[in-house]
Amino acid sequence: MNPATENSLAARSREARAALDAHVREMVAWHFSPETGCPFWLDYAAKLSFDPRERIQGFDDLKHLGHFEDEWLRGGPVRRWLPKGLEGEPLYAFETGGSTGLPKTRLNILDFRIDYSQFSETLSDETFPKDSDWLMLGPSGPRRLRLAIEHLAQVRGGIAFHVDLDPRWVNKLVKAGKHQDMEDYKEHVIDQGLKILRGHDNVKCLFTTPKLLESLCEKISLPKAGITGIFCGGTEMNAQFHRFAREELVPGVDFVPTYGNTLMGLACSKPFDPETKDYTITYYPPHPRAVFELVDPDDPERVVEYGETGRVMLTTLTKDFFMPRFLERDEGERAEPIDPYPWDGVANLRLFTRFEESVVVGVY
Amino acid sequence: MPHISPGSHLPRIPHIPHLPILRAGKAYRSLSTKVLDNLATGEPVAEISQANSGLIAKDLAEIGRARHDLESLTTRELVAISKKAGELFATTDLPLGGATQSADDYVVQTSATTGLPQVMVRANMAKIRFVLEEMETVLGGLTRGLDLEILDRGFGTQDGRMVSYRRETDALGAVLPSNSPGVHSLWLPAIPLKTALVLRPGSREPWTPLRIAQAFIAAGCPESAFHYYPSDHAGAQQILLRTRRSMLYGDRATVDPWRSNPGVQIHGPGWSKVVFGADAAERWPDHLDLMVASVADNGGRSCINASGIWTPSHGRAIADAIARKFAEIEALALDHPEARLAAFPSRKAAESLSHVIDSQLAQGGAEDMTARHRGDANRVAEAGGCWFVLPTVIFCEDPNHPLASAEYLFPFVSVVEVPQDELLHKMGPSLVVTGLTEDPNFRRELLTATNVERLNLGASGARGAGAAIPTSKIAWDQPHEGNLFEHLYRQRSFQGVA
């Protein structure tokens, strides 16, 4: 990086930080004002010894609110999350997981449209052509992704074709060790996708998960089927998969890895440079609507150094949803700001190691 | 696992060997790696490329090519290649990720990551060499003396009868364990049986399958016959689903979901046993060394090690005598020539297992007979930087006690006293049974017991204890948990006009 670029990037990072602090003040004012806030946060504030609108003047001050707990989202009444300022708007309830007990529910009003409209701006019009249609080969049901991809297609002038895919059934099959049934179900999903690709010539864009992309590519050459852009996400993806996808699965097709979830929105990845062939996947959140911090797992108040491994701490700051400092089930390396995204990112995102099995005692 | 760390995000470690993936024999370096540490020092020993499941699936879709390469050679030529591979495996420098690995390197590296003492790795290396060099005899056992040219022609006359065999798969998948290298002997006959190999090594023992593949390739076997995919569970699942015939090693939770799949040959827990008839139990001291060997050979790491001694009488005396012998076995460093115990992955793993045993003892009805002979020593011991669980013998008064059917990865055995007429029914499934009796009725019961896989039928002592065979002694020309030839080939009806 030359000094001029560096200075420019540093200046843009400072601007981004200032914008974030201003956005935090705006969002705290929104969520903690009786005129606009939701019952949950107003009740929460009532138990505090301070008024968040006075105490929280920038991003760093969010620490006074502790850590958001996603267990708060399990069950109802779901309207306790509805900001008064958005009453009257159409409501969506999106769910996560759901394989055990009550699923966690997140109320969504405007966010999925804003997030995916913004994401649309990052896509190439050459490889994700406007007015072309999409195949959404991903989860259906009460998932944010299902509507979000449809909105993305619509924003770009296209139609999204969908399949039926119930990830909760897949989870049950996995837990029961029904490997063959799982394969059969995957075939069933792929068959639906193939029919759409064969029946609709204008489908040029694809959303899918890594595993479904692998399975689809066993059945069909996506470039030959007219696919020019693939937006891939939904589950963990590492550098090896990224390389395998570009080199062997879909060479020549624009491959865009993303990281998203119901609680945050959609993080974009660092653009791939065919010169360096660095397949490391580094995600940058949609600042200032969401922020990644990489923190010391033993001391979440300490942000780790660049390049150091940390646990992902996620903050969402939108009018729909206020989620300060949620400790995610993921870890990765803290990544430096880059030109298109002058704020912190996370590289090599993966499941938090401490949640993996620690001791195996058995015959093998 | 404390000694295996995800490495894809780590800087490359320059001075340790890198074990690549083999895709039809061609080395492929993955961006996803794992680093294996030396159990004694914690130092990194190897970086291992990890295959993503899609890569495995893509390769397996194209695996038919390997069949043509193997079919270009006769079975006899492949037997000769196996023989040469045996020699190379045990003696020569072979490729290892851009560098080479000597036989001594192999022994030291395998010991360092698996915890098996070097002297035992060397003994296992000799077993593998033996099976490769004696491949013709091994095939004779598996095929019951079939003229091997019949496999080349597809049909022929054997003992005056027309026979024809059809191979059921292009490739044998093998999801392998980390406990002991000798186990790899079981899939070696696949190559002379003209079946490509798709190997997913155990996480701590990536060394042996790769070295065997390199030995075969160096001996002249087509490299397209070897696929080597260190991977996670998803990768293993791809192998089991996509090869029409496979072998799966694992604990009960791993293998149970695959039991109903006839294409998957299951190698689960062994629960091997020494079984006394009432007649032989009276002369139990004659068999003390056999019992100790059955339990403690190879560090007690194998599925063929006895985890139970079932007897109609003298149970407590038998347990006490074994306990005295066990108390003499001490934890030694992995490079010690007298080492008889294998190390656990960590102190925590060793102590956790010991704690499990203590918890089960606390239920009552079972006694750790070794405790009194061990003196002040704890069941968990350290030597040479590694952690061990010392040999343990339990006397169980109740055949339903959880320790009566326990199997652990160290010399551990429960002596269970049960009347002879209830014994075979109550002892449960057993991979190997060394049956000690001359009672013709009990011998017949042993021969017809459907819960006994391998049977070593021995004398009661009247003809001398030397006539009995420990559970841990394997005849390689006998089938093991299913016959590999029958797994790979099917006898078909055939009529031909000359």
Side-chain angles (χ1 to χ4, degrees):
Chain A
M1 196 180 288
N2 66 50
T5 314
E6 192 176 355
N7 288 338
S8 158
L9 182 57
R12 295 186 58 219
S13 290
R14 281 194 299 276
E15 286 168 18
R17 176 61 194 220
L20 173 63
D21 286 338
H23 186 68
V24 166
R25 289 191 291 276
E26 186 188 343
M27 286 301 105
V28 168
W30 171 270
H31 286 285
F32 291 97
S33 298
E35 298 77 24
T36 51
C38 69
F40 178 89
W41 284 117
L42 293 174
D43 289 350
Y44 192 91
K47 293 172 195 150
L48 295 173
S49 59
F50 58 89
D51 183 340
R53 293 170 294 180
E54 290 170 12
R55 176 72 63 88
I56 297 169
Q57 293 300 313
F59 184 78
D60 287 346
D61 294 336
L62 288 173
K63 64 177 179 285
H64 297 303
L65 294 173
H67 297 282
F68 186 89
E69 292 176 27
D70 61 350
E71 285 299 311
W72 295 339
L73 297 172
R74 214 183 274 283
V78 74
R79 282 181 175 77
R80 72 189 186 279
W81 297 101
L82 173 61
K84 194 172 175 60
L86 293 173
E87 277 180 357
E89 297 284 343
L91 303 181
Y92 298 87
F94 297 130
E95 293 182 357
T96 63
S99 52
T100 55
L102 277 172
K104 290 167 220 156
T105 308
R106 188 201 147 176
L107 209 58
N108 211 298
I109 304 120
L110 310 168
D111 274 353
F112 75 91
R113 291 198 182 89
I114 295 171
D115 289 336
Y116 280 72
S117 294
Q118 285 185 358
F119 172 65
S120 175
E121 298 299 315
T122 70
L123 293 177
S124 153
D125 287 350
E126 191 181 331
T127 52
F128 292 87
K130 292 278 175 66
D131 301 329
S132 63
D133 295 334
W134 286 67
L135 167 59
M136 164 49 176
L137 191 65
S140 52
R143 304 274 160 172
R144 171 185 157 112
L145 255 179
R146 189 243 174 265
L147 279 177
I149 300 296
E150 186 149 49
H151 175 73
L152 176 66
Q154 290 168 351
V155 161
R156 302 182 69 80
I159 297 166
F161 291 89
H162 294 266
V163 297
D164 278 331
L165 195 174
D166 178 358
R168 290 175 187 168
W169 179 240
V170 175
N171 282 343
K172 282 187 177 174
L173 294 176
V174 171
K175 283 188 178 168
K178 293 183 174 176
H179 307 295
Q180 190 58 54
D181 291 355
M182 204 167 62
E183 281 299 293
D184 293 346
Y185 190 75
K186 194 163 69 179
E187 286 283 308
H188 165 62
V189 172
I190 296 296
D191 280 350
Q192 296 177 60
L194 289 173
K195 282 175 184 157
I196 291 167
L197 287 176
R198 287 173 182 144
H200 302 279
D201 289 344
N202 195 41
V203 175
K204 295 186 172 65
C205 309
L206 169 68
F207 170 84
T208 194
T209 65
K211 286 209 181 312
L212 289 172
L213 180 63
E214 290 172 353
S215 299
L216 187 63
C217 290
E218 282 182 54
K219 304 283 184 184
I220 193 169
S221 160
L222 290 175
K224 282 184 187 167
I227 297 292
T228 54
I230 296 171
F231 161 25
C232 194
T235 58
E236 183 183 320
M237 219 178 314
N238 62 20
Q240 170 59 22
F241 177 81
H242 185 198
R243 169 198 179 187
F244 177 67
R246 285 189 184 274
E247 288 184 349
E248 302 190 42
L249 280 185
V250 285
V253 175
D254 189 9
F255 181 81
V256 180
T258 54
Y259 168 69
N261 64 38
T262 306
L263 300 182
M264 175 192 68
L266 190 64
C268 296
S269 60
K270 181 180 177 178
F272 178 68
D273 181 352
E275 295 297 318
T276 63
K277 294 205 170 190
D278 179 358
Y279 292 98
T280 306
I281 300 179
T282 306
Y283 293 119
Y284 288 89
H287 232 248
R289 294 166 54 77
V291 179
F292 289 158
E293 289 173 281
L294 275 296
V295 299
D296 181 342
D298 295 318
D299 176 14
E301 301 309 313
R302 183 181 82 82
V303 173
V304 301
E305 299 297 323
Y306 286 116
E308 193 183 339
T309 302
R311 185 173 180 180
V312 176
M313 189 160 78
L314 177 62
T315 294
T316 300
L317 300 160
T318 68
K319 284 191 171 178
D320 278 21
F321 191 48
F322 178 65
M323 185 182 75
R325 308 171 81 242
F326 169 56
L327 288 163
E328 267 283 11
R329 287 156 181 75
D330 295 317
E331 67 178 18
E333 284 70 60
R334 184 183 174 198
E336 297 203 42
I338 57 172
D339 191 39
Y341 308 109
W343 48 80
D344 280 6
V346 56
N348 300 304
L349 193 77
R350 56 194 179 271
L351 186 67
F352 185 39
T353 315
R354 293 185 191 179
F355 288 164
E356 294 179 349
E357 266 186 330
S358 55
V359 181
V360 177
V361 178
V363 170
Y364 296 102
Chain B
M1 303 281 286
H3 292 273
I4 302 175
S5 52
S8 59
H9 57 288
L10 298 174
R12 290 230 168 109
I13 301 166
H15 303 301
I16 59 170
H18 177 91
L19 278 67
I21 292 162
L22 291 185
R23 305 177 73 181
K26 303 274 189 234
Y28 176 93
R29 187 171 189 133
S30 173
L31 295 178
S32 179
T33 58
K34 281 191 172 175
V35 174
L36 271 184
D37 292 349
N38 183 318
L39 290 183
T41 65
E43 295 291 314
V45 179
E47 181 188 50
I48 297 135
S49 272
Q50 300 294 302
N52 51 299
S53 56
L55 180 146
I56 297 171
K58 181 171 184 288
D59 289 354
L60 295 189
E62 299 162 3
I63 206 158
R65 197 168 67 82
R67 180 186 63 190
H68 301 302
D69 292 343
L70 280 173
E71 281 180 350
S72 68
L73 297 165
T74 65
T75 306
R76 290 217 171 275
E77 286 170 327
L78 288 166
V79 166
I81 285 172
S82 301
K83 191 177 175 72
K84 180 71 179 165
E87 181 198 334
L88 297 176
F89 174 77
T91 61
T92 309
D93 289 4
L94 290 167
L96 185 77
T100 56
Q101 180 194 52
S102 70
D104 286 342
D105 293 339
Y106 161 75
V107 169
V108 172
Q109 289 161 334
T110 305
S111 173
T113 63
T114 63
L116 202 64
Q118 291 179 13
V119 65
M120 290 184 195
V121 177
R122 232 173 253 289
N124 279 275
M125 183 166 72
K127 276 186 207 170
I128 290 167
R129 177 179 186 167
F130 176 82
V131 170
L132 285 167
E133 293 191 333
E134 297 298 322
M135 188 57 78
E136 186 160 0
T137 308
V138 172
L139 291 181
L142 295 175
T143 64
R144 298 179 192 84
L146 185 73
D147 175 359
L148 296 178
E149 287 179 14
I150 290 174
L151 294 180
D152 296 332
R153 287 200 307 274
F155 65 95
T157 305
Q158 180 83 12
D159 299 329
R161 294 186 191 89
M162 176 66 77
V163 291
S164 174
Y165 289 91
R166 183 186 74 198
R167 198 173 53 250
E168 294 292 285
T169 181
D170 290 333
L172 173 70
V175 176
L176 298 164
S178 297
N179 56 328
S180 175
V183 76
H184 300 298
S185 305
L186 291 174
W187 47 263
L188 300 176
I191 290 296
L193 291 171
K194 301 191 178 187
T195 310
L197 287 165
V198 180
L199 307 170
R200 188 268 199 170
S203 58
R204 303 204 68 86
E205 213 278 78
W207 309 99
T208 310
L210 183 60
R211 187 169 171 83
I212 289 171
Q214 297 293 8
F216 264 113
I217 293 167
C221 191
E223 64 178 7
S224 62
F226 297 94
H227 297 74
Y228 171 80
Y229 299 117
S231 64
D232 58 11
H233 292 305
Q237 188 178 317
Q238 286 299 320
I239 292 171
L240 297 174
L241 286 168
R242 288 166 189 277
T243 53
R244 294 183 63 212
R245 293 291 181 273
S246 56
M247 308 169 101
L248 170 62
Y249 292 81
D251 57 21
R252 188 186 249 172
T254 303
V255 301
D256 275 356
W258 298 92
R259 284 195 187 278
S260 60
N261 186 332
V264 181
Q265 192 181 75
I266 301 292
H267 295 262
W271 295 305
S272 296
K273 296 175 184 77
V274 175
V275 170
F276 282 95
D279 57 332
E282 298 301 323
R283 288 186 289 275
W284 66 265
D286 294 345
H287 299 291
L288 185 56
D289 289 344
L290 174 141
M291 290 187 277
V292 171
S294 294
V295 178
D297 276 358
N298 204 37
R301 277 246 172 144
S302 306
C303 50
I304 55 175
N305 283 120
S307 56
I309 292 170
W310 288 60
T311 179
S313 62
H314 303 288
R316 184 173 284 278
I318 290 170
D320 190 60
I322 295 172
R324 282 176 196 277
K325 289 273 190 184
F326 275 8
E328 295 166 7
I329 302 176
E330 53 182 327
L332 296 170
L334 297 181
D335 59 357
H336 195 289
E338 303 294 325
R340 294 179 65 187
L341 295 179
F344 275 65
S346 65
R347 176 179 188 165
K348 187 177 173 188
E351 287 180 341
S352 297
L353 178 54
S354 185
H355 179 69
V356 167
I357 294 168
D358 286 335
S359 309
Q360 290 171 322
L361 285 167
Q363 297 177 19
E367 182 181 346
D368 179 353
M369 302 295 285
T370 1
R372 68 181 72 165
H373 298 296
R374 218 182 272 131
D376 295 336
N378 194 297
R379 195 185 288 123
V380 173
E382 187 270 345
C386 291
W387 289 89
F388 300 84
V389 183
L390 295 175
T392 299
V393 55
I394 306 290
F395 176 63
C396 277
E397 293 163 7
D398 175 6
N400 296 315
H401 192 281
L403 285 171
S405 56
E407 180 181 71
Y408 298 120
L409 202 56
F410 76 106
F412 170 89
V413 68
S414 292
V415 180
V416 189
E417 199 171 292
V418 185
Q420 180 176 298
D421 57 352
E422 299 172 20
L423 195 154
L424 294 183
H425 170 65
K426 288 194 170 170
M427 75 178 188
S430 310
L431 172 59
V432 190
V433 163
T434 286
L436 300 169
T437 180
E438 292 213 332
D439 173 352
N441 290 331
F442 195 47
R443 286 168 78 94
R444 182 169 300 281
E445 282 185 48
L446 279 163
L447 281 162
T448 55
T450 55
N451 55 351
V452 176
E453 184 69 26
R454 297 185 73 123
L455 177 60
N456 297 344
L457 203 49
S460 68
R463 279 184 282 170
I469 304 160
T471 61
S472 50
K473 189 170 180 188
I474 284 286
W476 291 102
D477 62 348
Q478 296 290 310
H480 181 86
E481 285 192 275
N483 179 325
L484 183 64
F485 175 65
E486 291 171 359
H487 193 45
L488 298 177
Y489 281 78
R490 176 186 173 88
Q491 186 176 9
R492 62 131 71 94
S493 175
F494 180 83
Q495 299 173 91
V497 178

